[in-house]
Amino acid sequence: MRIFVIGDELAAGLGDARYLGWVGRVAARSELATPAYLANLAIPGASTSSLAGGWRSEIERRLATGDDCRLVVGLGIGDLREGLSTARSRLNLANLLDGASRLHLPTFVMGPPPLHTTGDIATLSDAYADVCARRHVPFVHTYRPLITHEQWLTDVAHNDGSHPGQLGYGLLAWLALNQGWCEWVGSGS
């Protein structure tokens, strides 16, 4: 199995003293029948515009005929930082997911968690969830479970206000593992 991860600094694990982020923690907890090749191609500051424009060339050169290849999309608040409209964010994600479908890449999407920013993360998260639901793509809701979670809020505030630390990444990993990851990769964890 080859798992390709694209996204922003949250998918890259920025701010995690162990350098695992949620992706590394989820991979470590996955009980796969055969070892997976995991390529984390996340780029700090990425928005859906940059992801939709550049993901395909990065993935296509890493595809291997006959391998079970999959795509993980980690969405953060890059669209809010860039001032993209919700409609543009929806379209960018839809185009990305449709492109992955054309390449026969099963896709798993991690939604944006609550972070300090201007803009409506809840609305953006709901829009992403709707795009995924329409395409039958697993979507991990992180915003609502964490918006009032005391440990999450404390961890982000103590880290830098914009990224979680070890505890926060652990919470994101727990949400992924409990919202469809194991079924998606076919593991028993």
Side-chain angles (χ1 to χ4, degrees), residues 71-180:
L71 178 65
V72 175
V73 181
L75 300 171
I77 58 171
D79 285 24
L80 297 174
R81 279 191 223 120
E82 286 187 10
L84 297 179
S85 69
T86 302
R88 172 51 62 188
S89 297
R90 287 178 62 94
L91 180 61
N92 288 340
L93 179 58
N95 288 338
L96 191 157
L97 295 178
D98 292 346
S101 178
R102 284 190 292 279
L103 288 175
H104 307 289
L105 285 173
T107 306
F108 185 88
V109 178
M110 187 80 156
L115 296 168
H116 301 290
T117 187
T118 57
D120 187 354
I121 301 173
T123 298
L124 187 62
S125 180
D126 289 345
Y128 290 152
D130 181 60
V131 170
C132 290
R134 290 172 186 264
R135 286 161 177 77
H136 307 289
V137 170
F139 178 83
V140 177
H141 295 272
T142 63
Y143 182 80
R144 285 191 173 71
L146 297 176
I147 188 62
T148 58
H149 195 288
E150 186 176 323
Q151 291 176 320
W152 169 265
L153 298 171
T154 300
D155 190 57
V156 170
H158 281 113
N159 197 31
D160 66 2
S162 298
H163 306 94
Q166 290 182 54
L167 187 128
Y169 281 114
L171 290 169
L172 290 172
W174 187 89
L175 288 169
L177 288 165
N178 287 281
Q179 289 188 48

